Amino acid sequence: MTIAQHRLDAAELVRTPEEVLVGFARTLRAAGVNVTADRERTYLEAVAAVGLEDPAAVYHAGRATLCASPADLERHDLVFAEWFGGTRAGTKPRDPLSRLVPRASLGAEEPRPGEGRDEPDDVHAQASATEVLRRKDVTTLSRREREELARLFGRLRPRAPRRRAHRWEESPRGAVDARRTLRAMLRRMGEPGEVAWRRRGSRPRRVVLLLDVSGSMSAYADSLVRLCHTYCVSDVPTEVFTLGTRLTHVTRPLQQRDPDRAIVAAGEAIPDWSGGTRLAEGLKVFLDRWGRRGMARGAVVVVFSDGWERDAPEALGEQVRRLHAVAHRVVWVNPHRGRAGYEPVQGGIMAVLPHVDDFVAGHSMAAFEELTEVVARA
């Protein structure tokens, strides 16, 4: 989709300054810049700090927070000029951002004399309602928004991380396949011919999801269970356990195709829903009974928890160290990390961070989508 199409699709939707900036970040991502949820949040905070009245400050805030390479800077300048009706760096904008954003906030205006609505300076940059919903904290959603969020989970397509297989497969490049090359020469009575090549095949890597269902995580429980269900009904080899006052294996009930029935079945199988928190003990049971025997060995293990622990934080850190020793990669998902101003000061989080490969947010659909990419890249 082109930048112009993004702008036209957003033209008739909700118009607020925040959505104008979110729409710009979304279009920049469509142009090839890796704009993550964290970068987008930092961009909004930076613009809030410098103010919308200074177009040059907003321009440089985008370059500082959304870009990671010289190629990103080039794309940013092009998208900024097209999206906000401005020009490249070092020149005067055709339509100042301070005038564009209030106009987008108050609604569509009548075109001025001599101007048409198809003029670049008159196109209002807006984000879709779905895009706004994707970035809202799931604890702040209304009932209707939760229903829409459930439909968005149905569109989520997790991908399995890959691992090298022992078998070799034909390939246009790689290592020389001596046996196949010699057999082909024998069929040609010793005449030389094309060289056959081969490379190692790949197979999906197991994903293990460990979900904290204690009282402090209850506000995010429904969305996180839906995310686990999405993995269970995908092509990704997945195992799901819940952690509370005990460890519960809930893979089978979550394998039902209907998400609502799967969530009800999982809830009936979990005896300690919204109870206490004994993460260290639950992880120890998992490692002793399941993990070290092969389920976690070489797998990508994702732990959903805010880190609040009844036992000593050192015990939790030791169990995560054991988990990291057998797993291919450990990803810790903390819903509170997506909130502005969050600092990992809890004792449990500080104890596990040295043994975690990725520490990501888990508070919104955008964060869940980013998580699936982190897992797939592992």
Side-chain angles (χ1 to χ4, degrees):
M1 181 179 292
T2 65
I3 296 171
Q5 288 174 321
H6 272 281
R7 298 168 71 213
L8 291 174
D9 289 344
E12 301 301 329
L13 300 174
V14 182
R15 297 176 172 89
T16 67
E18 182 181 13
E19 291 166 1
V20 171
L21 299 173
V22 170
F24 169 64
R26 175 191 180 192
T27 305
L28 192 61
R29 182 167 62 246
V33 178
N34 183 23
V35 179
T36 64
D38 286 342
R39 289 182 183 177
E40 183 177 294
R41 183 169 58 254
T42 305
Y43 172 59
L44 294 178
E45 293 172 354
V47 173
V50 301
L52 294 171
E53 295 78 12
D54 187 350
V58 175
Y59 166 80
H60 288 291
R63 287 170 63 95
T65 59
L66 300 175
C67 303
S69 68
D72 290 348
L73 295 176
E74 180 71 18
R75 293 190 180 98
H76 173 275
D77 292 353
L78 293 173
V79 175
F80 187 91
E82 188 72 19
W83 187 261
F84 291 116
T87 57
R88 300 289 297 277
T91 61
K92 185 178 180 180
R94 295 194 305 271
D95 193 359
L97 183 63
S98 57
R99 291 169 56 195
L100 172 67
V101 174
R103 197 167 61 237
S105 304
L106 298 175
E109 294 181 350
E110 292 298 322
R112 292 187 292 268
E115 295 183 350
R117 289 194 177 273
D118 56 346
E119 289 294 324
D121 292 347
D122 244 6
V123 178
H124 302 300
Q126 304 300 332
S128 68
T130 300
E131 185 68 16
V132 175
L133 176 62
R134 287 178 58 250
R135 282 164 173 75
K136 293 184 68 173
D137 192 307
V138 297
T139 61
T140 65
L141 301 182
S142 64
R143 180 177 179 180
R144 177 173 297 180
E145 288 175 327
R146 288 182 179 276
E147 294 174 353
E148 179 61 26
L149 186 71
R151 285 191 285 270
L152 292 181
F153 273 109
R155 304 176 188 175
L156 201 59
R157 296 293 181 266
R159 295 181 291 113
R162 309 295 297 184
R163 66 187 308 171
R164 292 183 65 184
H166 295 293
R167 294 176 178 266
W168 293 82
E169 60 184 20
E170 295 183 17
S171 172
R173 65 184 67 181
V176 175
D177 190 338
R179 290 186 177 183
R180 196 153 54 92
T181 301
L182 291 174
R183 284 197 297 267
M185 290 180 63
L186 290 174
R187 287 194 296 269
R188 294 189 296 269
M189 302 302 292
E191 291 292 330
E194 293 185 0
V195 176
W197 305 90
R198 65 175 185 171
R199 66 178 177 184
R200 290 275 190 181
S202 65
R203 60 178 181 176
R205 190 183 293 275
R206 181 184 292 112
V207 175
V208 179
L209 307 177
L210 304 177
L211 176 58
D212 182 352
V213 293
S214 62
S216 61
M217 291 285 291
S218 60
Y220 297 93
D222 180 77
S223 297
L224 294 178
V225 172
R226 287 184 182 275
L227 178 63
C228 293
H229 170 263
T230 302
Y231 267 93
C232 285
V233 297
S234 68
D235 295 331
V236 181
T238 305
E239 297 290 341
V240 183
F241 294 82
T242 60
L243 299 167
T245 56
R246 56 176 293 180
L247 180 75
T248 306
H249 192 195
V250 293
T251 303
R252 181 169 295 180
L254 287 177
Q255 287 176 336
Q256 301 183 51
R257 302 300 301 184
D258 184 88
D260 295 325
R261 291 185 177 182
I263 291 175
V264 171
E268 294 174 349
I270 301 172
D272 53 349
W273 191 281
S274 296
T277 309
R278 300 188 64 185
L279 293 176
E281 181 64 25
L283 287 175
K284 184 178 185 302
V285 173
F286 169 74
L287 287 167
D288 293 344
R289 183 176 179 182
W290 305 91
R292 294 181 64 87
R293 294 184 179 182
M295 182 174 289
R297 191 173 299 278
V300 177
V301 181
V302 184
V303 183
F304 300 89
S305 177
D306 55 7
W308 289 106
E309 170 64 306
R310 176 184 298 177
D311 300 325
E314 294 77 12
L316 177 60
E318 172 61 20
Q319 297 307 318
V320 177
R321 185 198 64 79
R322 293 179 60 203
L323 178 63
H324 188 267
V326 297
H328 172 69
R329 199 167 186 87
V330 176
V331 181
W332 194 283
V333 181
N334 188 336
H336 302 309
R337 191 178 187 274
R339 296 180 177 177
Y342 169 79
E343 295 291 341
V345 296
Q346 299 93 337
I349 291 295
M350 295 179 66
V352 305
L353 281 181
H355 314 295
V356 169
D357 297 293
D358 297 285
F359 184 51
V360 300
H363 66 297
S364 65
M365 176 56 69
F368 298 149
E369 293 170 354
E370 186 173 341
L371 171 64
T372 62
E373 292 301 316
V374 171
V375 173
R377 290 195 301 266

